[in-house]
Amino acid sequence: MPSLGATFGRGAATLPQWDLANSDCVLVMGSNMAENHPIAFRFVMQAKQRGATVIHADPRFTRTSAMADIYAPLRAGSDIAFLGGIINHLLQNDLWFREFALPYTNLSTIVGEDYRGPGELGGYFSGWNAEGRRYSPESWQYDGVVVPSSLAEGYVEIEGFAEATRRLHEGPTPKDPTLQHPSCVYQILKRHFARYTPEMVEQVTGCPREVFLKVADAMARNSGRERTGAICYAVGWNHHTKGAQIIRTGAILQALLGNVGRPGAGLLALRGHTSIQGSTDIATLYDLLPGYLPQPHAFRPHHTLEDYLKVETSPTGWWNNFPKYYVSLLRAFYGAQATPENGRGHDLLPRIVGDHSQLPLTVAMANGVIKGLFVMGQNPVVGGSNSKLVQRGLAQLDWLVVRDIAETDTATFWRDGHLVRDGEMRPEDIGTEVFLMPGSLSGEKAGSFTNTHRLLQWHDKVVAGPGDSRSELWFTYHLGRRLQELYRASTREEDAPIRSLLWDYPVDEEGEPDAEAVLREINGYTWPEREQLASFNDLKSDGSTACGCWIYGGVFPQPGRNLARARKPDGPEGPGTHLGWGFAWPDNRRTLNNRASADPEGRPWSERKRLVWWDETKGEWQSPDQIDFVKTKRPDYEPDWSKRPAGMDALSGTQPFIMIPDGVAGIFVPSGLKDGPLPEHYEPTETPVRNAFHPGVEGNPPAKRWAHDLNPIAAPGDPRYPHVLTTYRLTEHHSGGTPTRIVPTTAELQPEGFCEIPTELARELGLRSTDWVVLSTPRGEIETRALVTDRLRPFRLGERRVFQLGLPWHYGWAGMATGDVANVLTAVVGDPNTGMHENKALTCALRPGRLARRGGQG
Amino acid sequence: MTHRNRRPRGTLTGRLVGALQDWSVPRQLRGAPGHAKAAESAMSRGLRPRLEQADRVGTSICPYCAVGCAQLIYARDGKPIAVEGDPRSPVNQGTLCPKGAATFGLMVSPGRLDRCLHRAPGATAWREVPLDWAMERIAQLAKRSRDESFVSRLPDGTRVNHTLAMASMGGATLDNEENYLIKKLFSAGLGMVFVENQARV
């Protein structure tokens, strides 16, 4: 979530889902919320009943569109052009919320004079290195100030980085509150988006000009002191080679409209898996340690603990506390073995050497680099891009452990997969040793999930799971225990990390570790006494505290007080923040950056949108929510620059974005994003048309690509692949399909794979619903049934008519509801910031009929 | 109501008349008041809520998407008998979507796996193996792969402490406590860097 992190300081939804009911305008984009998050969509409907305008912008007309006041169709992959056009409309007509955006964003901040935008440099931002296909962010910095990134990794590859950031101690960032300076963010923004005219929006997105302007007006109308609007998005925004910048465009829009930190305002990231937020917070991700601390990198100045803390600790803002969180995490990992001699454990941690995310993992597997793979509750044969490359990789492994609730497509690739089906390999030729182990569901084990709005909710163990099924807690704990035993006698230096691991969780009579003991460690305790800490404010950088994930500090403040298990909702007359239901990170704050719900003087913007206010008598901020600010910091507080203030002392009382080094929302982002300080429209990697903004620079320049024989990419405009293909999810199925394709009810409701085909195209091809069709891309071919529909309309883009096809991606061969694997068609290409794939916009060919198969099946 | 007295008990006609009389549709067409009464039949009068049979109720959270709907799991004799939305939750207020409502079906699905399966290299079928055997074999394989591939330092002396030969996928469907142990063991303990979950997919 680098986009929300770079703009507002934290990569997470800014508002609780129920707060959507308080919104005056809800834009759903990059999401089919009514079908994929129906329970959350109830709050959008409640808002509508209270008079809110609901807008759905999407390539497909869905049930979300049917419930919306305005439906705006747009071509898949053209979101930045659409949103950029709205930003232009707001700036040209002065429709933005000046009283909010001027003090609370970096609109007035002056950028160094070397900065140039893609409008001036033929499609590239300044700092482009064509050979390395990457940007250097030096020219994106503020005038005379280098700013650390507010993302997990604060370090930015700029010479003398750490020293250059020390300037932040000396005074505020350079500003021109009159907004006249040609290099202030406002002027740069205005020039940048001036190219996004209504004509251009129509040409690029295919959305009729009058519909687009209706959307812009609705959003502008619902902004200001009395009104707020919210944006809900899902992976329809993420899954592009410019996904982070699509979300950035939405974030800029909300910052300009004053739609963050206030009731009914913000960006709600709608995530697909029950604890996808939790698994990012406590990251089972290669580049993050728990609590958004960066995994040490071999090629960054991370060598010793001192080096690492020097470049990763922000001089100003909340991240100045960084050393407390890192040293406490090392204590939680290594216990007594975290010593001053080994850098408090820093010397024991592995270093990354590049991108080790899922796409390069897929390539590394296919190249034989990876020998052993654990798959726990994931189904990469169905969910991973370029499924045949995934399956080729699985066939190269020495061993594969699949832990799941049922026999998955991934676990049976050697028997039923495409390599065998297409006659490329026989099971006898596949040397992978495969384990398939039964896993547990919530209800069969105790633990906590973190939902899409940062809410930790505990689930109890109510029943035992079937047979030998075990939780991942059980599996990981006992695997670790066995490995520590196997390494016990080793004296090799390289085995020190596993031998040093603090691994002493209590188990019950069935050997199940106590999940609450793990949550107590995540919360944090004193070392060595192990007394629970009440909050992350108690953490220290001297090794006297241990904490597994600082942002979860406070979830288990005392023995026996597991706040994830709290179940006290507000009554009908209550404030509706529901502080007694579960625990939201950080510190049970429900709306992030909520200081911004008051004006600079500390008064609510209006009674109608009241959330946080300054109480002069008490000398502190008041709210029915927890305050996302220093509770006693006066609105008129100004840093005393003669004292070289650090951390929160360097932020004034009117700077609500405490995780950002200069305390204001980053409309222009100097550090942290790999593909530009502002969003720019680029075409998808595979596109039917040229980039109308700068023909010749079609795709996002630094997008990630991995050359592999099994991963060919269609060139822009390749006539062999004329149609746009977008993948999507169904209400009745879940992601890789395992937990719904084995359930009789959901399998019966959506029993088989299909492809949505526009009526006009079906007529041209002589297709009717339920006919067999073959879809193909340079990666492979699949067969499925046609569903002919008017929900997907053709777009006229300049002279061309472009058809879009829609393909649900849940299906595979396992379970009761089956179908060919959509991801056979998709490519391994990625967003430069997140490494996310681009399955929402690619090109394909379509023909009637079935695949020719060995064995005469058809 | 008088025809009831004329009803010859036990005869075919009698049973037919009884059934017709019990049939709710004519009653409803005649505009019988009250939904419950109008829909009642001899069978429905005998029906009891399945939840009454539960000897245990526990709180849970839906295992599907990230909205975080609270659920109540009803169990009898240690087996689930129903899963309902928790009416107290400010997220879902007792409601569930088609997937969430299928949670009970998921828990008791005939597709659930209950034994460890093992497929030897080149084999064409699974065989069942004991859990303990699988755990020991996996620990041995992990140690072997790690030992054969571990790099402490690069040739220029830069510390890396890692193995590129082992990878892990998954986590977004798991508990926070599980993710914490996975990251702690795989990254901080074993030095794996290819640790990924569905956050990007």
Side-chain angles (χ1 to χ4, degrees), chain A residues 90-301:
Chain A
L90 298 179
L91 294 176
Q92 297 299 334
N93 299 291
D94 233 8
L95 298 170
W96 50 289
F97 187 7
R98 179 179 287 260
E99 290 169 280
F100 180 100
L102 194 57
Y104 293 165
T105 76
N106 65 1
L107 268 186
S108 66
T109 311
I110 298 167
V111 174
E113 59 185 19
D114 292 342
Y115 168 76
R116 293 288 178 278
E120 300 160 274
L121 297 178
Y124 298 93
F125 291 93
S126 50
W128 177 242
N129 172 338
E131 203 182 334
R133 294 187 66 245
R134 61 195 195 90
Y135 282 109
S136 160
E138 269 186 84
S139 63
W140 307 348
Q141 300 301 311
Y142 297 151
D143 189 22
V145 195
V146 171
V147 186
S149 154
S150 57
L151 306 179
E153 188 174 65
Y155 174 70
V156 181
E157 273 188 87
I158 288 177
E159 202 163 317
F161 166 78
E163 286 68 30
T165 63
R166 299 296 179 256
R167 155 74 179 75
L168 284 166
H169 291 305
E170 290 163 13
T173 52
K175 286 188 167 52
D176 174 17
T178 69
L179 304 183
Q180 298 306 307
H181 195 291
S183 289
C184 77
V185 168
Y186 171 76
Q187 294 292 344
I188 291 174
L189 190 76
K190 208 168 167 183
R191 284 198 298 276
H192 183 88
F193 285 109
R195 299 167 295 138
Y196 290 65
T197 59
E199 297 72 29
M200 199 63 161
V201 171
E202 184 172 276
Q203 185 190 340
V204 173
T205 67
C207 178
R209 188 177 323 192
E210 56 279 9
V211 177
F212 155 76
L213 286 171
K214 238 167 97 181
V215 174
D217 283 334
M219 295 191 74
R221 208 170 46 242
N222 291 293
S223 152
R225 284 181 173 266
E226 296 286 342
R227 305 183 78 77
T228 55
I231 296 181
C232 304
Y233 74 91
V235 291
W237 270 8
N238 295 103
H239 288 167
H240 298 274
T241 47
K242 52 177 183 287
Q245 295 288 4
I246 297 177
I247 302 163
R248 273 273 297 141
T249 325
I252 291 173
L253 199 53
Q254 292 297 63
L256 285 172
L257 291 171
N259 281 336
V260 64
R262 305 177 58 202
L267 280 110
L268 183 69
L270 293 159
R271 290 144 188 279
H273 296 83
T274 185
S275 200
I276 202 153
Q277 181 68 51
S279 65
T280 313
D281 302 335
I282 298 182
T284 36
L285 295 170
Y286 84 95
D287 54 342
L288 297 177
L289 293 167
Y292 300 94
L293 313 177
Q295 185 87 30
H297 195 301
F299 308 136
R300 306 256 196 280

Side-chain angles (χ1 to χ4, degrees), chain A residues 593-640:
Chain A
N593 314 115
N594 54 24
R595 155 70 182 92
S597 70
D599 68 10
E601 287 73 40
R603 302 164 305 208
W605 289 106
S606 62
E607 269 314 298
R608 190 165 177 261
K609 296 290 171 177
R610 183 183 181 90
L611 182 61
V612 171
W613 60 94
W614 174 256
D615 186 323
E616 185 65 39
T617 5
K618 290 188 177 140
E620 50 178 48
W621 295 92
Q622 301 291 310
S623 175
D625 195 356
Q626 290 282 94
I627 314 282
D628 191 19
F629 200 60
V630 179
K631 203 164 179 194
T632 54
K633 177 175 276 192
R634 302 177 53 84
D636 57 7
Y637 168 85
E638 285 298 331
D640 179 353

Side-chain angles (χ1 to χ4, degrees), chain A residues 42 284-285 334 347 351 371 374 407 432-433 448 452 459 468 482 487 494 502 505 521 731 742 834, chain B residues 66 93 99 109 119 126 132 136-137 146-147 160-162 165 175 177 179-180 183-184 188 200:
Chain A
R42 290 160 50 248
T284 36
L285 295 170
Y334 299 117
D347 297 350
R351 273 57 169 161
K371 303 295 180 196
F374 296 96
E407 191 180 60
T432 311
E433 182 171 350
S448 64
T452 205
H459 56 83
D468 284 342
R482 284 172 193 261
Y487 280 107
E494 66 188 60
L502 179 65
Y505 305 101
E521 179 174 315
T731 308
I742 64 163
T834 62
Chain B
Q93 292 157 316
K99 280 194 288 287
S109 163
R119 183 258 177 187
W126 294 115
D132 192 60
E136 188 55 28
R137 175 88 185 136
R146 179 180 183 273
D147 290 349
V160 290
N161 285 349
H162 74 203
D175 295 343
E177 295 73 21
N179 276 293
Y180 179 70
K183 183 74 175 184
K184 186 169 176 177
R200 298 179 219 269

